[in-house]
Amino acid sequence: MVKQAGFSLVELMIAVVIVAILTMIAIPSYERYKVKVNRVAAQSDLVEMGTKLQQYLVTRRSFIKDNGFIGLNDVNLTNQLPRNEPSLYTVSLNVTANSWELIAAPNIDTRQEGDGFLVLNSKGYRCWNKQLTTACQPSATTNWDGR
């Protein structure tokens, strides 16, 4: 009697089930990771934008121009983040004569939808809260880590 080498159908099915279970665990974890990476990239871009706004204020001493307040285009900034990828956030700028606030709202039908607004202001205060459907109010006690 010659013994055949190889796997039985049962052994093969067990291996397939194990791979399927591992995949069901790994994919949602990877998706949460991608959302966090995109949020961190947008936060970094907001900080860069804030630096450019501060440079503008130092140079011109005000955010007022002939026909009102400046906009993102006046400082050569985009309203879409991240800049190097498909747009995941839309940025708006609120200014007064000597202060500014950037608000990044997650775009609908992207993986960032429902991930909360990012806010940064001229005092360096920032906030993010995943549960809010509108922008949070940055203060000395808020941060981008959601606490």
Side-chain angles (χ1 to χ4, degrees), residues 106-125:
N107 291 341
I108 297 172
D109 294 331
T110 66
R111 82 168 37 103
Q112 297 307 117
E113 182 178 9
D115 189 51
F117 289 70
L118 300 169
V119 183
L120 176 67
N121 69 18
S122 57
K123 294 180 181 178
Y125 297 160

Side-chain angles (χ1 to χ4, degrees), residues 115-146:
D115 189 51
F117 289 70
L118 300 169
V119 183
L120 176 67
N121 69 18
S122 57
K123 294 180 181 178
Y125 297 160
R126 51 192 168 201
C127 66
W128 167 77
N129 189 329
K130 186 174 182 171
Q131 279 68 39
L132 295 179
T133 56
T134 58
C136 51
Q137 293 299 316
S139 70
T141 59
T142 59
N143 210 331
W144 276 336
D145 60 7

Side-chain angles (χ1 to χ4, degrees), residues 15 26 45 57 63 123:
D45 288 346
L57 181 61
F63 290 119
K123 294 180 181 178

Side-chain angles (χ1 to χ4, degrees), residues 49 52-53 56 63 70-77 93:
M49 294 171 84
K52 288 184 180 180
L53 287 166
Y56 183 94
F63 290 119
I70 67 163
L72 290 170
N73 291 336
D74 297 316
V75 194
N76 295 323
L77 297 174
L93 171 64

